[in-house]
């Protein structure tokens, strides 16, 4: 039975899983679970993941969710995946776990919290929370500094001094890609002190092309849509805009 | 060269690592890094973990932090560790990663956030934040329900339907043990709807005795100290107390 992958391509960990499968020649059926239609809460999907979150996979009798757990499982279970994605060497593997654990409590809440509270909330029927946005920006900025000065130290192209990408690079870069939907001034302010981070994102993109851009198409479309909406608001409220 | 483990026994992931080593006969030197004295920020410790957090380990040339990454590494690198702690079976291992990833963004911020904002903050020179406490309690309560109804489903003694503990049981139970320092009424309110969780904590304790109690001694001492302080405040402010 072919691997089943349940995703919404608007979710960054979903995109990481799809890119990983495609780049590594893993055959799978992609089942779309549209979060904006609350399909993750349907009884059918709750059979797959009772906690109602994407991404999730079904491989034979195994039902699995949490994107890092999925990436580790796929890298271990599918022989077509090259060693650099999740090395057999215990020390290298340990460092990959370390940066992925760090991600959970630093980069992820920083990036996702900032995007939610500056752009996404109104599109999901929620209210923007400037206080939460400020808190998330602080965590995001700290996390980008830690990436720049610690996890990306030296001249290596990828995390942990490696010259080939691992599942950690893919997960963290997909997290940061969501910042594409920010207003340009915000995106520039946040990224400009972190040149190494920008290079690393580009290195990871290049190492996973053309799949990387293909899977991110939905994000680039959203970015264009949000920009158009912002322009329309600016035209509709010229007085307000001129005071800003 | 013997394994070095850098800990503050007041930190719950530190306790998980020490218990794991002791239960599994892993020889190690424990180096105390006292957080209340800000020793984690000393230049000496920054050589071990530049991000200034405990626990951390040094094993030969490997320097490692993040408690889940450490538990996985120790279970993989030390042959004395029995398979049930971190099974070789890919599906079982995947489920352990899944519950540990879930922990990062659910149980951990819920439990740690609640304890910090109801008890610990003043002892660390910080202010109690009732709004943050309420938010953390909500996440903690949701997480305990998910444990009760999903991760502990069936009649198994441990997580994921297992009859032997894994590194996930140890990590999550150590997280919950910090709730011992709460006021009794808060602890009872939070735990009483979750009988299975209480049984599972006791199962994990029993499976790792006497090391479990020995390593938690510092926590039980802190609990007694906090209780005494609360009693003293009650005696000092009888008028205020009677209005509550």
């Amino acid at each position: 039975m072919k691997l089943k992958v349940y995703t919404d391509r608007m979710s960054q960990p979903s995109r990481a899983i799809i890119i990983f499968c495609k780049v590594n020649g893993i055959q799978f059926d992609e089942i779309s679970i549209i979060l904006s239609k609350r399909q993750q809460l349907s009884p059918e999907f709750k059979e797959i993941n009772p906690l109602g979150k994407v991404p999730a996979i079904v491989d034979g009798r195994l039902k699995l969710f949490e994107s890092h757990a999925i990436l580790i499982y796929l890298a271990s279970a599918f022989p077509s995946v090259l060693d650099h994605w999740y090395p057999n060497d215990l020390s290298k593997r340990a460092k990959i776990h370390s940066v992925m654990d760090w991600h959970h409590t630093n980069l992820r809440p920083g990036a996702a919290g900032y995007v939610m509270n500056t752009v996404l909330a109104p599109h999901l029927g929620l209210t923007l929370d400037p206080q939460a946005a400020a808190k998330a920006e602080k965590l995001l900025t700290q996390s980008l500094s830690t990436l720049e000065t610690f996890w990306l130290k030296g001249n290596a192209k990828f995390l942990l001094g490696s010259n080939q990408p691992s599942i950690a690079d893919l997960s963290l870069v997909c997290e940061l890609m969501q910042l594409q939907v920010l207003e340009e001034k915000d995106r520039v302010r946040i990224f400009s002190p972190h040149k190494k981070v920008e290079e690393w994102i580009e290195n990871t993109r290049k190492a996973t092309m053309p799949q990387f851009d293909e899977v991110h198409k939905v994000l680039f479309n959203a970015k264009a849509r949000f920009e158009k909406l912002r322009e329309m608001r600016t035209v509709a409220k010229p007085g307000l805009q001129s005071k800003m």
Side-chain angles (χ1 to χ4, degrees), chain A residues 17-188:
Chain A
I17 305 293
I18 306 167
I19 293 168
F20 186 79
C21 288
K22 286 181 178 263
V23 166
N24 288 289
I26 296 172
Q27 298 296 312
F28 67 103
D29 287 326
E30 185 177 350
I31 298 114
S32 174
I33 301 293
I34 304 173
L35 299 177
S36 63
K37 293 187 181 167
R38 302 176 74 76
Q39 291 178 351
Q40 76 277 21
L41 304 176
S42 72
E44 294 77 21
F45 185 64
K46 286 273 185 109
E47 284 290 309
I48 307 301
N49 178 5
L51 304 193
K53 299 226 167 153
V54 291
I57 65 165
V58 175
D59 189 30
R61 286 187 304 172
L62 176 68
K63 295 174 184 175
L64 189 66
F65 59 92
E66 285 289 344
S67 68
H68 290 176
I70 294 172
L71 287 169
I72 291 173
Y73 172 76
L74 295 174
S76 307
F78 287 82
S80 63
V81 179
L82 295 179
D83 187 70
H84 65 81
W85 286 106
Y86 186 58
N88 262 314
D89 177 271
L90 283 188
S91 295
K92 286 184 185 170
R93 188 170 277 202
K95 291 281 193 179
I96 288 174
H97 294 152
S98 179
V99 67
M100 289 172 93
D101 285 335
W102 171 84
H103 174 219
H104 272 302
T105 46
N106 292 278
L107 191 63
R108 167 165 253 154
Y114 187 70
V115 170
M116 177 59 76
N117 286 295
T118 52
V119 178
L120 285 190
H123 303 277
L124 299 169
L126 304 167
T127 319
L128 294 175
D129 180 341
Q131 221 178 345
K135 209 172 152 187
E137 182 173 354
K138 196 176 162 193
L139 185 54
L140 172 58
T141 303
Q142 281 170 349
S143 302
L144 290 172
S145 293
T146 304
L147 271 169
E148 183 91 3
T149 57
F150 177 65
W151 297 115
L152 288 168
K153 65 189 163 187
N155 292 316
K157 286 169 77 176
F158 300 100
L159 294 168
L160 304 165
S162 179
N163 279 313
Q164 286 181 296
S166 77
I167 52 173
D169 294 280
L170 189 55
S171 170
L172 273 65
V173 165
C174 283
E175 190 72 51
L176 285 175
M177 281 302 290
Q178 68 181 310
L179 299 175
Q180 287 292 328
V181 304
L182 296 179
E183 278 196 58
E184 190 61 13
K185 66 173 174 52
D186 291 333
R187 214 178 57 74
V188 168

Side-chain angles (χ1 to χ4, degrees), chain A residues 6-19:
Chain A
Y6 297 80
T7 63
D8 180 334
R9 290 196 179 195
M10 275 303 287
S11 106
Q12 60 278 14
S14 289
R15 291 193 293 268
I17 305 293
I18 306 167
I19 293 168

Side-chain angles (χ1 to χ4, degrees), chain A residues 179-239:
Chain A
L179 299 175
Q180 287 292 328
V181 304
L182 296 179
E183 278 196 58
E184 190 61 13
K185 66 173 174 52
D186 291 333
R187 214 178 57 74
V188 168
R189 184 185 72 250
I190 285 167
F191 273 111
S192 58
H194 308 291
K195 294 297 173 208
K196 239 176 176 177
V197 171
E198 289 191 306
E199 279 169 32
W200 160 67
I201 292 172
E202 188 54 22
N203 291 338
T204 305
R205 176 177 166 265
K206 277 187 188 153
T208 55
M209 283 292 279
Q211 294 88 349
F212 189 94
D213 275 7
E214 181 202 320
V215 175
H216 279 92
K217 200 180 263 176
V218 63
L219 185 77
F220 297 128
N221 290 344
K223 177 186 167 80
R225 219 162 47 240
F226 294 145
E227 269 168 11
K228 199 157 187 177
L229 279 170
R230 278 193 284 265
E231 275 168 31
M232 283 165 64
R233 275 201 298 270
T234 310
V235 173
K237 299 180 187 174

